[in-house]
Amino acid sequence: MKKLYVTMLALCCTVSLAGCSGSAKPADTPAVSETKPNDAIPELSKDPVTVKIMASGGMFSDDEVQKYIVEPVKKKYPQITIERINASASKLPELISAGEIPDIVANYPGPMGSNLAEYKLIYNMEPLMKKYRFDTSRFAPEALETLKIAGGQDYLAGLPAYTNSFALFYNKDVFDKFGIPYPKEGMYWDEVAELAKQLTRTDNGVAYRGIFPDGIGRIQQQLSIPFADFNTNKSLLANDSWKEAFTIWGSLFKIPGLTEGDFAVPNAGKNQTAFASGTLAMIASHSNLLNTLKTSPINWDMVTYPQHRKAPGIGQRLDSPILSISEQSKVKDAAFLVLDTILSDEVQKEMMRGGRLTVLKDEKLRAEFGKGLKEFEGKNLAAMTKLKFAVMTPFKYLPDGEVDKVLSKAFNAYIIDQTDMNTALRTADEEMNKLIQDKLRK
């Protein structure tokens, strides 16, 4: 979410729990575990225990913490008390200095590995998964791969609560006004660019813009384009894959009239406002936009997120709050059972009904997406569930925020014609190599 430059309140969803079932498997079911099949799953001590979870308000609103975590955990494990630490108000370094390290820390995939490593929080959760027979085969395989890459380890150092889902939102009224056919399911970026050209125009003094696809990082994530070779510790930003990425994204941004005034460079917040007010015809965005559209008067709908012809069927990578048990936690078993509860079919089903996309591959669960959002009845919310996840590109020792600055600076200079593509990428390549060397010296 750092790449979106805005903080959006999460959707409020209703969560229920049937305590008879969870993601821990019954004792007589084969499991991905070293535990013998007939051994009973260990029971948590009945002694009261407090589990502290640090997550931002953008990841979980206070209502969501209650409905997704506190209530279902209390029903299944009455001895566990959840204490929420809002990362929007408290800072991790300050808590560490005060000796108040949370038991569970939430990170988005990009900063996860570097944050856990910097604060020495990395913990291998796989022994607890075996102990409690947590079945990782329930996850989409691309999600599992991304989780290991995000943690920077060859084991799982965190589990995803949900993921923000992506689609191409469009304003029917703008399409109708100019007599342009609506977008279709399964479109490619080059087809979307052609639509956007027809829709970028001025009418009766009102400037209409065809598309906002978000920053250059989105095409990088969709195609899993590496930005560095970590065997040689050299930048890869000057290669053909990046030229192709700049070309396809440039075809969207360099449409005459699209990047003028307040929209000279990519800004998600301004473009979400423009879409909700009716002057932007299409926006490739995520499920948090639904919160804004609840009160928007426009006549909108959505289709599947645009694809690249080299990666058909692939949408965006995980955009998930990944919950990691800290190495320093004194209540790791209780903390793991909290995560197990969040990832139970019952809680995941209610998250899906409220518009939070599960990373579980169960098609029955996925079919529940958005069914609890009565204000969006008739909208094609199922479009958000149809594409596979892209696999994350390794960041290794590089903070994703600094990588994003290098990429965004180069792409923004290119789309407003401050420089040509080759010069922009060559400059970015030099800056990336400097960033790599700076990090290696530390």
Side-chain angles (χ1 to χ4, degrees):
M1 303 293 291
K2 293 172 72 175
K3 297 179 175 64
L4 298 178
Y5 307 108
V6 293
T7 301
M8 300 286 292
L9 285 177
L11 289 170
C12 293
C13 311
T14 303
V15 176
S16 64
L17 175 71
C20 59
S21 175
S23 52
K25 300 182 77 177
D28 59 351
T29 303
V32 202
S33 169
E34 292 178 351
T35 310
K36 294 179 181 179
N38 293 324
D39 289 347
I41 295 176
E43 290 189 7
L44 186 68
S45 167
K46 301 300 182 183
D47 295 337
V49 58
T50 297
V51 174
K52 298 179 180 180
I53 300 178
M54 186 172 194
S56 71
M59 293 174 174
F60 297 98
S61 67
D62 289 340
D63 284 343
E64 288 180 310
V65 170
Q66 288 296 315
K67 295 172 183 177
Y68 288 177
I69 307 173
V70 173
E71 292 171 8
V73 168
K74 182 59 68 176
K75 185 172 183 179
K76 194 170 184 179
Y77 301 103
Q79 68 270 48
I80 297 179
T81 297
I82 300 295
E83 180 181 325
R84 191 270 182 82
I85 300 171
N86 194 329
S88 304
S90 301
K91 303 304 177 186
L92 189 56
E94 297 169 1
L95 293 174
I96 292 174
S97 297
E100 299 176 0
I101 300 176
D103 302 296
I104 298 172
V105 179
N107 286 287
Y108 284 109
M112 176 188 172
S114 56
N115 283 355
L116 294 178
E118 179 179 358
Y119 300 117
K120 298 179 173 55
L121 300 176
I122 296 175
Y123 173 70
N124 182 356
M125 293 168 57
E126 292 186 359
L128 284 175
M129 294 178 191
K130 293 176 181 178
K131 180 177 180 179
Y132 292 103
R133 299 190 195 171
F134 185 87
D135 184 6
T136 56
S137 69
R138 297 164 66 232
F139 291 116
E142 302 85 9
L144 278 178
E145 189 173 352
T146 289
L147 288 172
K148 288 189 176 182
I149 293 171
Q153 309 296 326
D154 59 0
Y155 54 77
L156 290 174
L159 293 170
Y162 62 84
T163 184
N164 289 313
S165 45
F166 289 76
L168 180 67
F169 295 76
Y170 65 95
N171 185 329
K172 290 183 175 182
D173 290 338
V174 177
F175 278 82
D176 291 343
K177 182 179 184 65
F178 299 120
I180 307 297
Y182 299 153
K184 299 178 180 178
E185 296 276 86
M187 292 187 77
Y188 293 96
W189 283 114
D190 57 302
E191 296 173 318
V192 172
E194 290 304 311
L195 275 183
K197 290 175 185 176
Q198 300 176 64
L199 292 158
T200 304
R201 58 174 79 179
T202 299
D203 183 76
N204 291 327
V206 178
Y208 292 91
R209 296 162 53 249
I211 180 69
F212 178 68
D214 212 346
I216 186 65
R218 290 299 183 198
I219 190 66
Q220 182 272 330
Q221 292 169 4
Q222 186 174 32
L223 296 181
S224 303
I225 305 172
F227 42 77
D229 182 337
F230 291 105
N231 292 317
T232 62
N233 294 317
K234 296 291 185 183
S235 169
L236 295 173
L237 297 189
N239 68 15
D240 289 342
S241 293
W242 278 103
K243 290 179 181 178
E244 183 179 14
F246 269 49
T247 298
I248 187 66
W249 231 235
S251 73
L252 297 161
F253 277 99
K254 291 171 80 70
I255 297 170
L258 195 70
T259 53
E260 295 180 355
D262 289 343
F263 304 103
V265 296
N267 183 295
K270 290 179 179 179
N271 280 279
Q272 288 175 351
T273 299
F275 183 76
S277 64
T279 59
L280 179 64
M282 296 180 287
I283 182 170
S285 191
H286 50 84
S287 46
N288 276 351
L289 179 57
L290 293 172
N291 196 52
T292 299
L293 295 178
K294 285 181 179 179
T295 56
S296 173
I298 66 172
N299 181 19
W300 64 274
D301 209 339
M302 64 174 75
V303 292
T304 49
Y305 189 79
Q307 302 161 59
H308 192 283
R309 293 189 184 275
K310 286 189 174 180
I314 304 298
Q316 269 295 323
R317 78 175 193 203
L318 285 190
D319 192 31
S320 170
I322 302 177
L323 306 177
S324 301
I325 297 174
S326 62
E327 170 64 35
Q328 295 85 347
S329 173
K330 299 290 195 287
V331 292
K332 292 184 176 70
D333 283 70
F336 180 77
L337 292 175
V338 169
L339 302 187
D340 180 75
T341 302
I342 295 170
L343 283 160
S344 67
D345 285 348
E346 294 78 15
V347 174
Q348 290 290 298
K349 178 181 177 180
E350 294 306 320
M351 283 188 174
M352 285 291 286
R353 291 182 62 82
R356 291 299 198 187
L357 183 63
T358 186
V359 300
L360 304 181
K361 60 187 180 182
D362 187 324
E363 289 302 324
K364 289 183 179 179
L365 274 180
R366 298 176 76 82
E368 293 292 321
F369 187 76
K371 288 185 177 180
L373 301 174
K374 300 302 181 185
E375 60 267 54
F376 297 134
E377 284 184 357
K379 304 296 185 184
N380 184 28
L381 297 184
M384 289 186 157
T385 70
K386 294 180 179 180
L387 300 180
K388 291 183 179 180
F389 298 118
V391 175
M392 184 178 180
T393 303
F395 279 88
K396 296 288 186 179
Y397 47 76
L398 292 174
D400 73 318
E402 294 184 45
V403 170
D404 184 58
K405 287 178 183 178
V406 172
L407 294 175
S408 297
K409 178 182 174 183
F411 182 70
N412 294 351
Y414 166 59
I415 61 174
I416 61 174
D417 296 322
Q418 283 185 349
T419 187
D420 62 272
M421 183 196 301
N422 289 333
T423 302
L425 283 170
R426 184 170 61 251
T427 301
D429 191 63
E430 292 170 357
E431 292 181 4
M432 183 67 74
N433 277 320
K434 183 179 184 301
L435 177 60
I436 290 171
Q437 292 308 310
D438 287 347
K439 294 303 175 184
L440 289 175
R441 281 193 289 269
K442 291 184 178 179

